[in-house]
Every structure is written in C-alpha cells, then in structure tokens.
Amino acid sequence: QLQLVESGGGLVQPGGSLTLSCAASGSLLDYYSVGWFRQAPGKEREGVSCISKNGASTYYNESVNGRFTISRDNRKRTVYLHMNNLKPEDTAVYSCAAKDIWFSASMCWPDYGMDYWGKGTLVTVAS
C-alpha cells in the first residue's frame, strides 16, 4: 500500500520560487510513475507535470513548461516539483499521484485514473 504526502506549499509573491515535495511510504517508489496535479478555486483539476519510474521521461503542461521542473530521488522515495517565476494563475492545491505503470504523457490527463493520491498542499501566488 502506497501512501503519498505533499509538503512545501505556502504563500509566495509573483515571480518567486517554491519547491514542493511528495514523500512516498509503504512501497518502493521505483515501481511508480508519478504526476503532479493542481486544482484552482472554481476550476477542474489539471495535470501539471509527470515523470517516469526512473526519471528519464517527463511531461509538462504547456502552461508551466519552462518554469517548472519535476524530478525524483527514488532512494529518498521523494518526487519534487521545482516552481520558478510563479504567476497568480498558478494558485491552486497541488497534489501528487502515482500509478504502477510505464510512463506515458497521457497519465498527466486529469481523467487518466491514478491509483494513489496525496491530500494536497496549497500554493498561493499573490502580492
């Protein structure tokens, strides 16, 4: 049984940076492709970025491409989302999710059907 816990959210000014962490427990992280998703107030959940089991392949939503970087350290059982040049429209609850499946960009679609989810961490971008 895999458990995921996000951390690192908070209030940041536009143009600032923030790094989120997704800590896994219960199983080796090596088995899972992982994604970051977000849901802004009044909007549907959207995929932000996803990463393959070994970190070799990644996907970024065009809205964050060039500003965000996803990475993972399987020995630490942690996936990271490094966010730079944050914008007010990045404000959302960010959640990580995992599935024991080989990587595909389609797993970053919000209706793909990830098996394990964290409870989320709130990122607020405002002056």
Side-chain angles (χ1 to χ4, degrees):
Q1 189 70 233
L2 182 70
Q3 294 86 45
L4 302 173
V5 179
E6 304 94 340
S7 63
L11 175 64
V12 62
Q13 297 183 27
S17 299
L18 204 62
T19 296
L20 306 182
S21 298
C22 174
S25 61
S27 295
L28 293 176
L29 190 59
D30 308 61
Y31 293 115
Y32 303 95
S33 293
V34 178
W36 283 97
F37 299 79
R38 67 185 182 186
Q39 187 167 22
K43 294 189 176 182
E44 296 295 316
R45 178 184 291 161
E46 65 176 354
V48 177
S49 181
C50 293
I51 190 167
S52 62
K53 295 182 177 184
N54 64 0
S57 299
T58 58
Y59 166 86
Y60 295 95
N61 187 301
E62 63 178 324
S63 67
V64 306
N65 190 36
R67 299 188 298 119
F68 291 12
T69 302
I70 190 170
S71 64
R72 66 190 293 162
D73 187 334
N74 287 344
R75 289 177 295 180
K76 295 181 178 179
R77 301 190 184 187
T78 304
V79 177
Y80 305 94
L81 184 66
H82 310 277
M83 305 183 293
N84 298 313
N85 192 25
L86 284 160
K87 303 176 180 180
E89 51 263 44
D90 294 319
T91 296
V93 174
Y94 285 72
S95 302
C96 62
K99 191 176 183 69
D100 182 6
I101 194 170
W102 296 113
F103 176 84
S104 172
S106 62
M107 69 186 300
C108 254
W109 271 236
D111 59 350
Y112 177 77
M114 293 291 221
D115 292 329
Y116 304 97
W117 289 85
K119 294 182 178 180
T121 184
L122 176 63
V123 174
T124 302
V125 185
S127 299

